[in-house]
Amino acid sequence: MLFDDKSWLNDYADYGPFARAALGVLVAKGDWSWWHGRSSLGVSHALHSAIRKNGIAVWGGDEAVFNAEDWIDTTLAIDLARAFSDLSFGFDFRLRIDRSVWNWSSLGDDINELRTYLADAVPDRRVFFDWPQDRRPRTKTPDRQDGALVVSTPTGSTGVEAGQAFTEALNRGSFFRVGDWKPGESLADVLLAKSVNTLTTGSVSAELVIIITDDQRTLARSLDEIRGSTGAKCVVCVQESGNERWLEAFAENWAGNYSSIDMAAAQASEAAGVEGEVVVSNQTFLLHSRRFFSPRLDDNVLESRQIHELLPRFGMTDIDVPENVKPIRKILPKLISTTPPPTARVLEIDAINGDGKKLGKLPSSGEFDIAVAVCPKTPLTKNLVSFPDQKVAWDGDKRVLQVHLLELGKAPVTKELIMPRTGASAPVSFKYLIQGAKLVDLRFMICDGAQILQTEVVPSVRTVLRA
């Protein structure tokens, strides 16, 4: 399980995807007005302003979003979730998972689980990845007859019937022939495959790859390789069972309804009862995907359809959009906070030389100071553990705590640390001497009388000392 929303939100665990979706959008936007204002209306305004003019909201910003339960309390999380739920109900938009998220260590080895999780909070489950790397392979143009797209499959692949049916559905949905089925072509516009391995050999090329598979974990791991090998701008995935029905519905909605490729995928999933979606895409390709299969369509028709998708969802899905209607660019005023992000207090340990300079790592030998303090830090600074202020038995606006330096085979060294209710404490300093080649095994224990508040183990090797 990717997240333990039950522990975080208790009876509101179902709100988890909405809360984390909202938080990732707001942090990626850099808007902290919702944090400092702490109002439901402020959260709602901030989320609306985070949706770009093209209907895309970017999710990511910082890895602290992944560990939201460490710094977002339950009440605020529920406010975030409700605001995002209202947004999802009222407006059509997409969520793009930012490229930086691929490097988050907290994700483990199944990043697709994150996309699936967030999709529970987004209209029509339209969540897609940015490509893992900023590769820009050269686009190759296949040999088209009368401008029709070349739809193919790698040589020796199974599923030829599905590809042919997909092409026929494309042509049924359009006023003219938009696709030619040419199995075994190495250079195509659309490539259908049932195996990731057939897409990573470097022998096939296509702008759009449709893969039929239930193994989305392997697919997600292979996206960068697929991109480099095929030059793909977009990858669509459909489950194996019932894929023929889905592919036909997808083609008909894409060509016949002038839908964007991700909307066509959502419509196909609903119509066929089969899961299929855009997994990764260039943003430009996705936004202009109507022109991909039919560049000869009248621009007014395409613009009208785009406006139709961006309109509010309250009972307006079946109306005609007048030609003079323009896209709604901003629903609520843009609110960008210039105030800093939230902070939490953490235990900080630094090695300091005789000139008062922080060393960053232990010296190889000699005497130096180890400074210990509790300091405010933003939770957006990675891998920090908050100091347990709630466990301190405060005496007015401060408390005298004890810092114990412990080392195997030596007597403890204890000093007092005066801890204020807010802000940073003054550091306490310990002298330490390294003689010869030895491993250092140190730990600091912060106590309030007999109660242990926090323990930090200093690595035994001479690497970064900062906690």
Side-chain angles (χ1 to χ4, degrees):
M1 184 170 58
L2 193 62
F3 300 111
D4 184 6
D5 289 337
K6 180 66 175 177
S7 296
W8 183 31
L9 301 175
N10 304 315
D11 293 339
Y12 295 89
D14 291 344
Y15 282 22
F18 295 89
R20 293 183 197 273
L23 186 61
V25 167
L26 293 173
V27 173
K29 181 69 174 177
D31 180 0
W32 292 98
S33 57
W34 58 275
W35 173 273
H36 299 284
R38 292 297 178 112
S39 71
S40 299
L41 185 60
V43 172
S44 180
H45 282 195
L47 282 173
H48 277 85
S49 70
I51 298 179
R52 299 179 177 182
K53 294 178 181 179
N54 56 22
I56 291 177
V58 179
W59 190 92
D62 192 276
E63 193 167 350
V65 169
F66 194 90
N67 303 310
E69 62 276 8
D70 293 339
W71 57 287
I72 299 292
D73 62 67
T74 301
T75 301
L76 179 56
I78 292 173
D79 285 344
L80 288 168
R82 285 173 171 164
F84 197 89
S85 177
D86 290 344
L87 184 72
S88 297
F89 179 72
F91 296 91
D92 275 315
F93 63 94
R94 310 165 172 92
L95 205 63
R96 174 168 64 82
I97 300 176
D98 190 63
R99 175 175 293 128
S100 62
V101 176
W102 287 93
N103 297 318
W104 289 4
S105 59
S106 304
L107 273 173
D109 63 351
D110 191 4
I111 191 172
N112 191 69
E113 190 178 356
L114 172 65
R115 187 180 64 84
T116 302
Y117 174 88
L118 293 173
D120 287 341
V122 179
D124 300 308
R125 301 185 65 82
R126 291 194 291 169
V127 180
F128 67 100
F129 291 119
D130 200 353
W131 291 99
Q133 302 291 333
D134 187 19
R135 301 186 188 277
R136 301 186 182 184
R138 183 178 177 182
T139 300
K140 301 176 183 179
T141 303
D143 182 17
R144 302 176 182 138
Q145 294 181 3
D146 299 325
L149 300 177
V150 175
V151 182
S152 186
T153 189
T155 301
S157 295
T158 57
V160 173
E161 299 82 2
Q164 185 171 355
F166 170 79
T167 309
E168 291 172 354
L170 272 181
N171 292 326
R172 282 199 307 272
S174 183
F175 297 114
F176 44 85
R177 185 170 59 88
V178 296
D180 283 334
W181 173 237
K182 297 181 178 180
E185 288 286 322
S186 61
L187 186 58
D189 293 293
V190 182
L191 193 67
L192 281 80
K194 281 193 171 182
S195 169
V196 170
N197 293 334
T198 61
L199 299 172
T200 57
T201 61
S203 61
V204 292
S205 176
E207 287 190 71
L208 172 62
V209 169
I210 302 175
I211 184 162
I212 303 167
T213 182
D214 293 332
D215 188 0
Q216 293 202 20
R217 174 181 291 196
T218 298
L219 174 60
R221 291 174 180 171
S222 306
L223 288 176
D224 186 48
E225 194 175 357
I226 291 172
R227 166 83 159 150
S229 180
T230 65
K233 294 181 179 178
C234 179
V235 173
V236 172
C237 178
V238 57
Q239 71 179 56
E240 294 183 21
S241 175
N243 69 81
E244 297 88 353
R245 296 196 312 276
W246 187 91
L247 285 167
E248 290 189 48
F250 171 60
E252 289 172 354
N253 280 288
W254 191 22
N257 294 342
Y258 312 126
S259 297
S260 61
I261 192 168
D262 60 335
M263 179 58 80
Q267 291 166 336
S269 296
E270 182 176 1
V274 177
E275 291 185 12
E277 59 234 331
V278 173
V279 177
V280 64
S281 180
N282 289 12
Q283 183 169 293
T284 302
F285 179 91
L286 186 144
L287 293 174
H288 299 286
S289 53
R290 301 175 188 88
R291 288 187 174 90
F292 174 67
F293 68 90
S294 189
R296 289 167 287 182
L297 279 177
D298 185 85
D299 284 346
N300 290 331
V301 175
L302 295 173
E303 182 181 4
S304 175
R305 182 62 188 181
Q306 184 178 28
I307 295 169
H308 181 68
E309 287 189 9
L310 290 175
L311 282 171
R313 303 175 59 168
F314 300 111
M316 303 182 69
T317 55
D318 296 323
I319 67 171
D320 292 326
V321 182
E323 290 184 2
N324 61 348
V325 174
K326 297 299 180 184
I328 301 173
R329 297 304 187 190
K330 290 292 176 184
I331 305 301
L332 293 171
K334 186 178 182 180
L335 301 175
I336 300 296
S337 173
T338 57
T339 51
T343 59
R345 296 204 291 187
V346 300
L347 182 64
E348 188 170 76
I349 304 172
D350 288 293
I352 299 176
N353 66 13
D355 297 327
K357 181 181 178 181
K358 293 182 180 181
L359 300 176
K361 60 181 180 180
L362 297 180
S364 58
S365 63
E367 188 177 55
F368 57 96
D369 290 311
I370 301 177
V372 180
V374 175
C375 307
K377 293 285 184 181
T378 167
L380 304 189
T381 304
K382 297 179 177 63
N383 301 321
L384 296 179
V385 178
S386 296
F387 186 81
D389 291 297
Q390 72 279 4
K391 293 183 179 181
V392 177
W394 296 103
D395 183 12
D397 59 357
K398 64 181 179 180
R399 182 70 172 176
V400 178
L401 305 179
Q402 299 76 43
V403 183
H404 306 289
L405 169 59
L406 308 176
E407 184 175 11
L408 187 65
K410 294 186 178 180
V413 179
T414 301
K415 294 195 175 184
E416 290 185 342
L417 182 146
I418 300 176
M419 181 74 174
R421 269 190 179 272
T422 59
S425 72
V428 294
S429 183
F430 295 81
K431 291 286 185 184
Y432 194 80
L433 176 64
I434 295 180
Q435 292 179 310
K438 72 169 186 176
L439 295 179
V440 176
D441 185 6
L442 300 175
R443 66 191 64 209
F444 287 92
M445 183 182 295
I446 315 298
C447 298
D448 185 1
Q451 180 182 207
I452 299 174
L453 300 175
Q454 191 168 351
T455 300
E456 286 291 338
V457 178
V458 178
S460 59
V461 293
R462 294 170 192 162
T463 54
V464 176
L465 183 62
R466 187 184 296 268

